[in-house]
Amino acid sequence: MSTESGKKILIIEDEKPISDIIKFNLIKEGYGVETAYDGQEGLDKALSCGCDLVLLDIMLPIMSGFEVCKKIRETSEMPIIMLTAKEEEADKVLGLELGADDYITKPFGMRELLARIKANLRRTELLEGKTEQPADVQEFGKLQIDMNRYEVRKDGQPLDLTLREFELLKYLATRDDKVFSREQLLEDVWGYEYYGDIRTVDVTVRRLREKLEDDPGDPKYIITKRGIGYYFSKQ
Ligand code: CA
């Protein structure tokens, strides 16, 4: 009855009781599970186990979760969900800056974790299905965005966007200079309740600008409307 069979999740978490309960619940849902109990083991497994998604604790022996995240991103776009401590708000932002796709705050409920995992795996499926989609390229100045194939080029050179960055860009670029609040973008692009942490949007915009803009400090595509939010300028 599970629709998730065949998907494998890597849990990188040094607290065995937490790792065990996550593992138990994932197996019950039909996922395959790999576990690692320190950062180095986690990184090695992430790069070799053929897993579809990583759950990554931050405070780990040998190598921190941040470092593991950064190293995975050097070679892989696999979805990474960071497990962050409640009192450390800054961790969420740093994790996203290092390329994590999502985070969940400890202590979390299993239903919430499973929902996050499903949402992130769904995005990967969209990405993997890209070759079956016909091209739908729209041009904005130097940018060419293929709306179906999740590809962005600048002056013909492909840009390496994460799925979330692409989705935010596509959302703004297809909505005619309209200004969106951070809350609206969270709801529509991230697609589920994000507990009002609108900095997630700011971090993703900053990463996008670094990839899209000639001068990220003087953006021409994604523009800040002070006190309101962001919009896309079509050039
Ligand atoms: Ca830990």
Side-chain angles (χ1 to χ4, degrees), residues 58 66 69 82 90-103 203 207:
I58 293 175
F66 293 131
C69 180
M82 308 280 302
D91 287 352
K92 299 173 183 174
V93 176
L94 182 57
L96 294 168
E97 280 177 349
L98 293 175
D101 298 276
D102 207 347
Y103 55 80
V203 170
R207 286 168 57 89

Side-chain angles (χ1 to χ4, degrees), residues 12-15 18 37 57-61 83 106:
I12 310 177
E13 164 66 84
D14 60 316
E15 287 166 79
I18 297 180
Y37 299 98
D57 186 32
I58 293 175
M59 298 292 287
L60 290 167
L83 311 176
K106 291 179 182 178

Side-chain angles (χ1 to χ4, degrees), residues 50 66 78 80-82 88 94 114 116 129-131 139 147 150 195 211 215 229:
F66 293 131
M78 70 198 301
I80 300 173
I81 302 179
M82 308 280 302
E88 289 163 31
L94 182 57
L114 290 170
R116 295 289 178 92
K130 67 186 179 183
T131 47
E139 299 216 14
M147 301 295 177
Y150 289 77
Y195 308 105
K211 295 175 181 182
D215 176 6

Side-chain angles (χ1 to χ4, degrees), residues 50-219:
C51 290
D52 299 286
L53 182 145
V54 179
L55 297 176
L56 178 59
D57 186 32
I58 293 175
M59 298 292 287
L60 290 167
I62 303 179
M63 188 188 284
S64 80
F66 293 131
E67 206 172 329
V68 174
C69 180
K70 207 170 127 200
K71 297 244 187 211
I72 292 174
R73 275 290 169 270
E74 285 171 8
T75 55
S76 168
E77 292 294 325
M78 70 198 301
I80 300 173
I81 302 179
M82 308 280 302
L83 311 176
T84 66
K86 194 174 188 176
E87 60 273 18
E88 289 163 31
E89 283 287 304
D91 287 352
K92 299 173 183 174
V93 176
L94 182 57
L96 294 168
E97 280 177 349
L98 293 175
D101 298 276
D102 207 347
Y103 55 80
I104 186 163
T105 306
K106 291 179 182 178
F108 47 79
M110 229 15 94
R111 268 174 60 181
E112 188 192 359
L113 180 64
L114 290 170
R116 295 289 178 92
I117 289 171
K118 272 188 189 146
N120 280 279
L121 286 174
R122 207 172 300 131
R123 292 193 176 91
T124 315
E125 277 163 15
L126 283 173
L127 196 64
E128 284 170 352
K130 67 186 179 183
T131 47
E132 293 154 30
Q133 298 285 335
D136 173 19
V137 180
Q138 298 188 27
E139 299 216 14
F140 308 96
K142 296 177 184 173
L143 289 186
Q144 298 96 38
I145 307 175
D146 188 326
M147 301 295 177
N148 285 342
R149 292 181 177 170
Y150 289 77
E151 290 170 353
V152 181
R153 289 170 186 271
K154 183 180 177 185
D155 290 331
Q157 295 297 316
L159 301 180
D160 196 14
L161 302 192
T162 66
L163 195 46
R164 194 92 75 176
E165 289 162 1
F166 181 87
E167 286 178 342
L168 178 61
L169 176 63
K170 178 178 175 177
Y171 185 90
L172 290 170
T174 49
R175 280 167 178 81
D176 282 332
D177 298 325
K178 189 172 182 301
V179 182
F180 292 92
S181 70
R182 292 164 175 83
E183 289 83 357
Q184 185 73 56
L185 292 172
L186 268 184
E187 200 174 313
D188 290 352
V189 178
W190 276 256
Y192 47 84
E193 184 55 60
Y194 231 75
Y195 308 105
D197 196 344
I198 56 175
R199 285 175 305 172
T200 302
V201 177
D202 298 329
V203 170
T204 308
V205 166
R206 191 158 74 235
R207 286 168 57 89
L208 255 179
R209 281 175 174 162
E210 279 162 13
K211 295 175 181 182
L212 299 180
E213 303 282 354
D214 291 337
D215 176 6
D218 180 24

Side-chain angles (χ1 to χ4, degrees), residues 5-20:
S5 56
K7 297 286 184 194
K8 194 156 67 166
I9 315 276
L10 172 61
I11 307 167
I12 310 177
E13 164 66 84
D14 60 316
E15 287 166 79
K16 194 154 186 307
I18 297 180
S19 179
D20 284 349

